[in-house]
Amino acid sequence: DRVIVMYAGQIVEEAPVQEIFTDPKHPYTRALLDTVPTIRDDEDRQLQAIPGMVPESYDGMTGCRFAERCPYRREECGEPQEAYPFGEGHTARCVVAYKEEQGGER
């Protein structure tokens, strides 16, 4: 019924199954979905790779744990990230996505 996406030992997104696949909010969730082939893909679709590496140690990290690999990284990503609400039962630890959802820009 629900999906929890984790990165570097932390829950970065949680939502109902269908919503995770149709409207992912966290850049890591989006990147993961871009790496998965489907039967609906065009035969020339290039699968995406997530650049960079998972940090070896994430103890003491205060900001977004995906920030070093994130194409949307902003200065505020270095600050502690809360589980921002994106609707009924949908949260993601991404201040950039949350501000975008509230009418800002990514």
Side-chain angles (χ1 to χ4, degrees), residues 71-89:
Y72 308 109
R73 181 183 179 171
R74 302 287 184 269
E75 186 175 324
E76 59 263 41
C77 298
E79 301 296 320
Q81 304 290 300
E82 62 182 83
Y84 298 98
F86 289 92
E88 186 68 33

Side-chain angles (χ1 to χ4, degrees), residues 5-13 58 63-65 81 93:
V5 178
M6 295 186 71
Y7 181 79
Q10 184 180 68
I11 294 172
V12 295
E13 187 161 7
Y58 37 85
C64 176
R65 294 181 179 190
Q81 304 290 300
R93 287 182 185 273

Side-chain angles (χ1 to χ4, degrees), residues 36-75:
V36 179
T38 71
I39 60 172
R40 294 178 198 89
D41 289 342
D42 293 329
E43 62 184 57
D44 61 342
R45 176 182 178 228
Q46 295 291 313
L47 295 178
Q48 301 298 310
I50 302 172
M53 301 285 292
V54 176
E56 287 186 32
S57 174
Y58 37 85
D59 294 332
M61 290 179 88
T62 57
C64 176
R65 294 181 179 190
F66 188 64
E68 292 296 321
R69 302 174 73 188
C70 183
Y72 308 109
R73 181 183 179 171
R74 302 287 184 269
E75 186 175 324

